[in-house]
Amino acid sequence: MIDKSFLRLFRESIAFKDAGLLKSALLKREAATERMKHDKGHYALGKANEAILLGYHIGDGIAAFAAAKEALKNTNAFCDTSKEWEKETGLTVFNDIFNIIRQWSASYDECVELNKLRVKWIATNEARHDLAAIEYCRKQEPHWWITQLSIAYDYYSRERPEMDQGLYAQGMSVLQCLLSRSSSEDPGYELDYDTYVHLLDDYVVISRMQFQRVLNKYQAKAGLYNTPDDPEEVLIILENALKIWTDFAPVLERKDKALFTNYFVDYWLSLAMIHEENRMNPIAEYLPDAMINCPLCGKRIANGSPVCRYCGKTTGIKRPYKI
């Protein structure tokens, strides 16, 4: 039977998620996991629920993958508890975790090893088919990161709107894995400069789109929930994108600065709106054209801000770019 306090925390997490309060939603799931760490099945289930929120809503594929692997350390207990979970809530988690493993593993070998575990515990035709598909992909495309990129394109498309599934958090999760592992020089993730810029370009754009989607939920339900740190509720989506971009910015070539300036005008406006100036500083350092002086009070504000966040007056500044 599923522990009642565990279930209550999870349901509170769902309510926060649906209101765009993603930081609080994650904290609730982490609290549920911590409360039941003495129980292997519940602990694994808690880690699985964390992984799903991180990967499918926040866009943090690295953290989601780590949580999924942690859940699978107690596979037998996880399998049993997940069956009870499905009876209690109607939600499946076991296949979701292996879907996360399949997409965000760090190599073909790791992906195959973990999916063999899936076949062992879920001896279905679907599980066998997915394992065979991974082996087939390895024969057709030896570069694991290219296979991962094709998975990302299943979630979003900037070139063909009719193909865009709008699953931006999942797309973010895959791109984060590619970019982070390339920056760390992980084997199999040797991206050249132009490829890295192309993927970072996509990552910035779809993270901004996911941010706006969650922000709309957050604004629609403003005042319904009391949370200790409201700005952080939605900024959690942008954290990894800003960090990855900031780490890469020192080697950004002149020809690519205008491209990112266009996009970061929108980042600036979003961050200025919720008064998080410290997060703007890296953008200001490397993309000065994304900033402008307020014509009324002289403070540095986002280039395109209709209202100055310092003096509160209408600036008359027009957007310099079409996004």
Side-chain angles (χ1 to χ4, degrees):
M1 177 178 290
I2 300 299
D3 179 82
K4 290 183 179 180
S5 63
F6 182 95
L7 185 58
R8 174 181 56 79
L9 287 167
F10 175 78
R11 285 175 172 159
E12 290 174 359
S13 170
I14 290 291
F16 280 139
K17 174 187 71 68
D18 292 343
L21 301 166
L22 294 185
K23 181 181 178 182
S24 288
L26 181 59
L27 288 173
K28 287 289 183 182
R29 297 194 188 196
E30 290 173 343
T33 305
E34 180 67 17
R35 178 169 295 193
M36 299 300 296
K37 63 182 180 181
H38 61 280
D39 182 298
K40 291 183 179 180
H42 276 82
Y43 178 79
L45 181 61
K47 282 296 177 183
N49 284 331
E50 290 175 31
I52 291 167
L53 182 66
L54 286 161
Y56 292 170
H57 301 281
I58 295 173
D60 191 341
I62 297 291
F65 180 68
K69 286 186 70 175
E70 187 70 16
L72 291 175
K73 287 182 178 179
N74 300 299
T75 312
N76 193 10
F78 179 32
C79 189
D80 292 339
T81 306
S82 67
K83 291 176 182 177
E84 293 294 326
W85 181 253
E86 184 173 354
K87 291 177 185 177
E88 186 80 31
T89 66
L91 301 171
T92 59
V93 292
F94 211 74
N95 276 328
D96 283 325
I97 292 311
F98 280 104
N99 190 45
I100 288 172
I101 293 296
R102 177 179 67 87
Q103 297 177 78
W104 304 327
S105 296
S107 67
Y108 274 120
D109 287 341
E110 186 172 45
C111 187
V112 168
E113 177 185 352
L114 291 167
N115 275 275
K116 283 181 178 178
L117 185 63
R118 179 190 179 197
V119 171
K120 176 182 177 180
W121 291 102
I122 309 176
T124 63
N125 289 334
E126 179 186 5
R128 295 188 188 95
H129 176 270
D130 287 347
L131 178 58
I134 296 164
E135 295 283 20
Y136 177 79
C137 284
R138 174 152 51 180
K139 292 178 181 177
Q140 299 298 311
E141 174 49 66
H143 296 94
W144 171 237
W145 75 265
I146 294 179
T147 296
Q148 283 187 305
L149 184 57
S150 69
I151 293 171
Y153 289 152
D154 287 338
Y155 292 127
Y156 77 94
S157 176
R158 293 175 62 196
E159 287 74 27
R160 300 180 61 187
E162 71 277 8
M163 300 294 290
D164 185 11
Q165 299 298 312
L167 300 172
Y168 302 126
Q170 290 97 315
M172 286 170 61
S173 290
V174 181
L175 293 177
Q176 183 210 12
C177 289
L178 296 173
L179 295 167
S180 296
R181 289 168 178 159
S182 176
S183 297
S184 300
E185 299 183 346
D186 289 7
Y189 287 87
E190 297 85 4
L191 308 182
D192 60 37
Y193 173 85
D194 288 335
T195 301
Y196 194 97
V197 169
H198 174 74
L199 297 184
L200 182 58
D201 176 25
D202 274 12
Y203 186 41
V204 167
V205 171
I206 66 171
S207 67
R208 178 64 179 75
M209 294 168 77
Q210 177 66 5
F211 172 81
Q212 188 61 55
R213 177 179 292 171
V214 175
L215 184 62
N216 290 341
K217 290 182 180 180
Y218 176 75
Q219 291 174 329
K221 297 196 176 184
L224 295 182
Y225 297 91
N226 292 320
T227 55
D229 195 10
D230 281 355
E232 301 296 327
E233 297 293 352
V234 287
L235 279 172
I236 194 172
I237 295 172
L238 297 182
E239 290 288 0
N240 288 314
L242 287 171
K243 183 180 186 306
I244 290 172
W245 186 88
T246 302
D247 289 346
F248 184 71
V251 300
L252 190 64
E253 295 178 3
R254 183 183 297 273
K255 66 182 177 65
D256 298 311
K257 287 191 175 183
L259 167 69
F260 286 103
T261 297
N262 293 3
Y263 298 143
F264 275 116
V265 168
D266 266 0
Y267 264 94
W268 273 99
L269 293 173
S270 299
L271 297 173
M273 179 176 58
I274 44 186
H275 306 293
E276 287 296 317
E277 185 174 11
N278 63 313
R279 287 177 172 81
M280 304 179 196
N281 293 336
I283 304 173
E285 180 180 354
Y286 297 110
L287 298 177
D289 290 344
M291 295 286 291
I292 196 170
N293 291 334
C294 172
L296 301 172
C297 71
K299 296 283 190 178
R300 296 291 280 172
I301 59 175
N303 190 356
S305 297
V307 176
C308 176
R309 64 186 295 264
Y310 295 101
C311 67
K313 297 179 181 179
T314 302
T315 63
I317 300 170
K318 296 186 182 297
R319 291 293 298 275
Y321 303 105
K322 292 182 180 180
I323 303 299

